[in-house]
């Protein structure tokens, strides 16, 4: 991890006791952090599991009653009803079980969902076009589609996402005061942030010149919205979030 500033020959100039204010512009070798939120098992998910269990048992009994009884006994009259009820329960499970149960990451590089056996893909703050609340979900809209955070299982993550978005990209937060109050602020018991690796620059482009970024050491990051710039093309103010970059 880089010790930003500690090796600077000019650091002795700082007044004794003055707190070092970290600039907004950062290098990829600086330290970055994010929080990881595990979804809360909702009553709906528990209900879905119960419905699936009942459906399985009902289908099993129905199958027995219809086909597996001794030949001389024949199928039970109730068998078709059991089979139908079992199917209805399994379909009910499929309808209930739509909530994403994925852990969420929220930090310096944006918001990311963990998908099984895949690297975490993050939606960087500067790529979020709008933050809004719809149908019990915090919705982050971007050119690549919407990232939806269900308030039920991810209430803590939604509070953190909203707090970060209001600090980093306030102009794009569309929620009214009533919705802000409904979601609330991050509070005690929130998970601590942990170090996070910066993104691979291969395939990414400078926000100012649109030139491909190649050398990690030449890349600069807006510490507020995570927009990337080639070091010689860093503008006065961030083109995405207006943070002063050349202070
Ligand atoms: Zn920015």
């Amino acid at each position: 991890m880089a010790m930003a500033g500690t090796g600077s020959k000019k650091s002795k100039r700082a007044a004794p006791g003055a707190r070092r204010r970290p600039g907004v512009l950062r290098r990829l070798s600086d330290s970055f952090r994010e929080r990881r939120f595990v979804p809360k098992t909702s009553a709906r998910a528990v209900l879905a599991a119960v419905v699936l269990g009942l459906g399985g048992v009902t289908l099993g009994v129905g199958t027995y009653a219809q086909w597996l009884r001794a030949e001389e006994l024949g199928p039970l009259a109730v068998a078709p009803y059991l089979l139908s009820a079992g199917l209805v329960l399994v379909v009910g499970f499929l309808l209930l079980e739509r909530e994403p149960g994925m852990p969420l990451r929220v930090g310096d590089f944006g918001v990311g969902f963990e998908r099984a056996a895949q690297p975490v893909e993050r939606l960087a703050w500067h790529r979020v076009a709008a933050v809004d609340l719809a149908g019990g979900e915090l919705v982050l809209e971007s050119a690549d589609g919407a990232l939806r955070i269900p308030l039920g299982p991810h209430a803590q993550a939604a509070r953190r996402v909203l707090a970060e978005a209001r600090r980093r990209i306030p102009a794009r937060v569309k929620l009214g005061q009533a919705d802000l109050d409904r979601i609330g602020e991050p509070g005690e018991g929130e998970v601590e942030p942990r170090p996070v690796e910066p993104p691979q620059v291969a395939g990414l482009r400078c926000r100012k010149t649109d030139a491909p970024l190649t050398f990690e050491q030449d890349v600069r990051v807006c510490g507020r919205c995570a927009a990337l710039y080639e070091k010689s093309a860093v503008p006065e103010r961030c083109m995405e979030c207006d943070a002063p970059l050349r202070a």
Side-chain angles (χ1 to χ4, degrees):
M1 194 183 301
M3 304 291 282
T6 49
S8 165
K9 287 168 199 153
K10 291 174 182 169
S11 61
K12 293 231 171 72
R13 265 205 219 160
R19 184 175 291 177
R20 189 178 170 279
R21 207 170 66 88
V24 173
L25 194 63
R26 301 169 77 182
R27 295 165 182 252
L28 288 180
S29 55
D30 289 346
S31 64
F32 299 93
R33 306 206 297 170
E34 73 178 5
R35 290 176 165 86
R36 179 174 187 268
F37 296 90
V38 178
K40 201 180 77 187
T41 307
S42 65
R44 183 184 163 114
V46 172
L47 179 65
V50 170
V51 166
L52 179 66
L54 280 177
V57 168
T58 311
L59 274 181
V61 173
T63 303
Y64 171 81
Q66 179 71 33
W67 292 294
L68 302 181
R69 276 159 51 95
E71 216 166 287
E72 61 272 23
L73 295 174
L76 280 178
V78 75
Y81 301 106
L82 285 171
L83 288 169
S84 312
L87 270 179
V88 166
L89 286 167
V90 170
V91 170
F93 162 77
L94 293 175
L95 292 177
L96 282 168
E97 184 49 22
R98 278 186 311 171
E99 286 182 357
M102 296 172 284
L104 244 165
R105 310 282 192 98
V106 187
D108 287 326
F109 290 114
V111 181
F113 269 117
E114 284 180 24
R115 273 178 278 249
Q118 283 181 42
V120 180
E121 226 176 90
R122 292 177 182 81
L123 175 63
W125 295 111
H126 67 89
R127 288 177 53 214
V128 176
V131 181
D132 212 340
L133 186 67
E137 296 176 321
L138 192 63
V139 183
L140 309 187
E141 283 165 22
S142 79
D144 301 327
L147 196 160
R148 296 170 180 280
I149 302 169
L151 298 186
H154 268 309
Q156 281 205 328
R159 285 196 278 273
R160 171 52 59 186
V161 167
L162 191 55
E164 296 283 336
R166 293 178 76 192
R167 183 169 70 82
R168 296 169 182 272
I169 44 170
R172 303 180 192 183
V173 177
K174 308 297 180 196
L175 285 78
Q177 193 58 47
D179 287 338
L180 294 175
D181 292 344
R182 179 179 161 199
I183 293 176
E185 303 268 347
E188 280 183 24
E190 190 186 38
V191 288
E192 290 296 318
R194 307 187 65 129
V196 56
E197 292 289 314
Q200 299 290 318
V201 296
L204 299 176
R205 292 172 174 273
C206 172
R207 176 63 184 80
K208 170 83 174 170
T209 63
D210 203 37
L213 298 167
T214 41
F215 301 109
E216 279 188 15
Q217 62 269 31
D218 292 345
V219 176
R220 298 294 179 266
V221 186
C222 170
R224 193 178 288 168
C225 75
L228 302 177
Y229 297 95
E230 206 277 330
K231 69 176 181 186
S232 62
V234 174
E236 282 289 318
R237 303 187 80 91
C238 178
M239 297 171 67
E240 292 285 352
C241 73
D242 202 38
L245 299 181
R246 290 189 174 277

